[in-house]
Amino acid sequence: MASRATVDVEFSVRVTEPGAAAVSIGAAHADTEELKVSWHGESEGVEFEHGTRAEVFELPAGEHRVTYHAERALTESEPEPLTRGDAAVFTRPSRYCPSDRIAGLVPPELFSLERAKDKVDTIVRHVHERLSYVVGSSRGTDDAIDTLLAGEGVCRDFAHVCITLCRFLDIPARYVGVYAPGLAPMDFHAVFEAAVDGHWYVFDATHLAPRQTMLRISTGRDAADTSFLATLGCELDFLGSTVFATTDTALPQDDWTELVVLS
C-alpha cells in the first residue's frame, strides 16, 4: 500500500479595502481536499498550466481566516515530457532569474560538462555549498544575483539561483512551490524542475526535505508566478500562517544525484 501525505494550512488576513484575491494552496492530484473561509463568500476556480490552481474570492473588509486540508496517496509518476512551448518559456530570463546577466558568476567547471544531468547536478552542488540557508535573510525583491552576492537566502532564493544557472546553459528550468513533509521549520517550500533528456525532474539545493514525498502546489517561471496569495484589487495585511505536511510512513532517504519525478 502506498504511503499517504496529509496537508493542513491556515492563514489570516485583515482586509482594509474590499476586492478580489487569489488563493493558490491546492495540492496537485489530491484524493480529498477542503478549502474553508471564515465568511460566506463564493469563489471562482481558475486553472493554469502545469498543475497550478487558484480560487478567486471577493473579500469584504475585516479579518478573515482561510483553512485547507488535503490528503493524497504518494504514488510513482511518469516524468512529464518537455514540450517546445516549455523550452521556449523556461529558457528565458525572468523577474527573479536574470540569466542574461549572470555570466560573471557561473562556475567555470560547468563549461567542460556535456550532459544536462551532469550540469544540473553540478549546479545543485555548487549552490548548496555556496549559499547558507538563513531564515529571514532575503527580501522579496532579491533576484538570483542578489542572492549569490549575499551568500545566503531561503528556499526560494536557492531555487532562483539554480534556475538562473540552468537557463544560462540553455537547460529549461522552472520554479515549483511544494508541500514538503520533513521540512524544518515547516512552511511552504520552493524547489525547481529542470529538463533532462527531454523530461522534467525535480531538484532541491537546500537538501532540507526528501523530494520523493513533495506535493506540487504551483509551477511557473519564478516566485512571481507562484504566490499562494495574490491581491486582485483589494488591499490587505497578512497576519500569519501555519503549514503542516506529514506522511503516514517514515520519510525516505534522498540520494540527491538521483532523478526524481514530482507529481
Side-chain angles (χ1 to χ4, degrees):
M1 180 181 297
S3 61
R4 296 185 64 81
T6 300
V7 172
D8 285 285
V9 179
E10 178 179 325
F11 67 85
S12 299
V13 298
R14 180 185 297 110
V15 177
T16 55
E17 183 67 32
V23 176
S24 184
I25 56 177
H29 311 302
D31 299 323
T32 61
E33 62 180 344
E34 185 176 29
L35 178 66
K36 293 183 178 180
V37 296
S38 60
W39 72 99
H40 301 292
E42 295 185 356
S43 66
E44 177 185 356
V46 180
E47 293 191 9
F48 305 92
E49 290 184 315
H50 310 300
T52 303
R53 297 177 290 143
E55 292 291 329
V56 178
F57 293 94
E58 288 290 335
L59 300 179
E63 291 192 11
H64 308 296
R65 183 168 61 96
V66 175
T67 60
Y68 175 74
H69 174 82
E71 298 181 15
R72 202 193 88 183
L74 296 172
T75 56
E76 293 187 8
S77 301
E78 292 296 317
E80 178 187 345
L82 174 74
T83 67
R84 286 289 181 90
D86 287 344
V89 170
F90 295 114
T91 52
R92 298 176 185 174
S94 60
R95 165 67 180 84
Y96 294 106
C97 300
S99 52
D100 55 339
R101 296 192 291 111
I102 202 171
L105 297 173
V106 176
E109 61 266 29
L110 286 171
F111 297 107
S112 64
L113 301 175
E114 295 185 2
R115 297 173 60 241
K117 173 65 162 53
D118 294 336
K119 293 178 182 179
V120 178
D121 284 343
T122 300
I123 287 169
V124 170
R125 183 173 62 252
H126 172 78
V127 173
H128 179 73
E129 295 173 353
R130 170 76 180 270
L131 300 183
S132 298
Y133 187 92
V134 180
V135 175
S137 61
S138 62
R139 303 163 297 177
T141 56
D142 286 350
D143 64 19
I145 294 175
D146 296 321
T147 299
L148 278 173
L149 294 177
E152 60 185 19
V154 295
C155 58
R156 60 169 264 161
D157 305 305
F158 279 62
H160 284 154
V161 173
C162 289
I163 292 167
T164 304
L165 292 171
C166 283
R167 291 180 186 170
F168 177 83
L169 299 172
D170 290 325
I171 299 172
R174 62 193 189 188
Y175 183 100
V176 189
V178 298
Y179 294 114
L183 183 69
M186 179 57 68
D187 204 339
F188 296 107
H189 191 46
V191 295
F192 78 101
E193 288 178 304
V196 175
D197 297 330
H199 292 84
W200 289 105
Y201 297 95
V202 61
F203 299 88
D204 182 8
T206 71
H207 294 185
L208 291 178
R211 294 168 294 161
Q212 292 83 352
T213 53
M214 291 178 180
L215 307 179
R216 184 191 305 271
I217 305 171
S218 54
T219 309
R221 295 166 300 172
D222 55 34
D225 291 342
T226 58
S227 174
F228 73 90
L229 176 64
T231 58
L232 304 176
C234 71
E235 295 182 8
L236 58 79
D237 298 318
F238 186 69
L239 303 180
S241 65
T242 58
V243 178
F244 294 100
T246 60
T247 60
D248 61 1
T249 58
L251 293 171
Q253 186 70 35
D254 199 341
D255 175 356
W256 300 105
T257 64
E258 177 187 358
L259 288 175
V260 174
V261 176
L262 180 64
S263 57

